[in-house]
Amino acid sequence: MLKFLYVGLGGALGAVLRYSFSFLPIASNKTIFINIIGAVVIGFISFFSKNIRVLDQRLFLFLTTGLCGGFTTFSTFSLETVQLIEKNEYFLALLYSLGTVMLSLIGIYIGYYLAKLF
């Protein structure tokens, strides 16, 4: 039952961090940056825990399912893609969705690379 508490606390912190991005002076869409940062962080944690030092399962859940899950915004990304489609911005919707997925996957590998430095 404590595992739920760790995930919930991490999720709350992740959601607060995501909300704090709305105050950053970034003119363009912030969602893609949030998803990429989240990918780098979860990639780092995953690789670090599997290959360098095993993290306590509660800490792993707090950081991955909780913090990263609460921070990243896949549902918002999906909504924004649909909104672009509804505006007949098909090419931009395709570019946005493919860019987000590809850059997030690259983010995972960047996280892996950074974890290897430890």
Side-chain angles (χ1 to χ4, degrees):
M1 196 62 164
L2 278 176
K3 292 177 185 177
F4 287 98
L5 179 62
Y6 289 106
V7 170
L9 290 173
L13 179 59
V16 168
L17 288 172
R18 180 179 65 228
Y19 177 68
S20 70
F21 263 67
S22 66
F23 299 103
L24 292 177
I26 301 172
S28 62
N29 189 308
K30 294 169 181 73
T31 303
I32 191 168
F33 296 111
I34 290 169
N35 287 333
I36 294 165
I37 291 167
V40 170
V41 171
I42 203 167
F44 179 91
I45 294 165
S46 178
F47 186 90
F48 185 88
S49 184
K50 288 179 187 173
N51 298 289
I52 297 169
R53 193 176 93 210
V54 176
L55 298 178
D56 178 82
Q57 185 184 22
R58 294 167 294 192
L59 178 59
F60 187 80
L61 284 172
F62 174 85
L63 293 172
T64 57
T65 306
L67 181 71
C68 290
F71 179 66
T72 56
T73 53
F74 192 77
S75 57
T76 305
F77 152 73
S78 300
L79 175 62
E80 290 170 349
T81 303
V82 167
Q83 288 170 339
L84 288 170
I85 292 169
E86 289 175 341
K87 292 179 191 175
N88 296 321
E89 297 279 353
Y90 302 112
F91 181 72
L92 190 55
L94 180 65
L95 186 64
Y96 179 67
S97 58
L98 289 177
T100 298
V101 171
M102 293 304 298
L103 291 171
S104 294
L105 291 173
I106 291 168
I108 295 289
Y109 284 109
I110 291 171
Y112 277 17
Y113 173 76
L114 292 174
K116 289 178 185 180
L117 297 178
F118 284 87

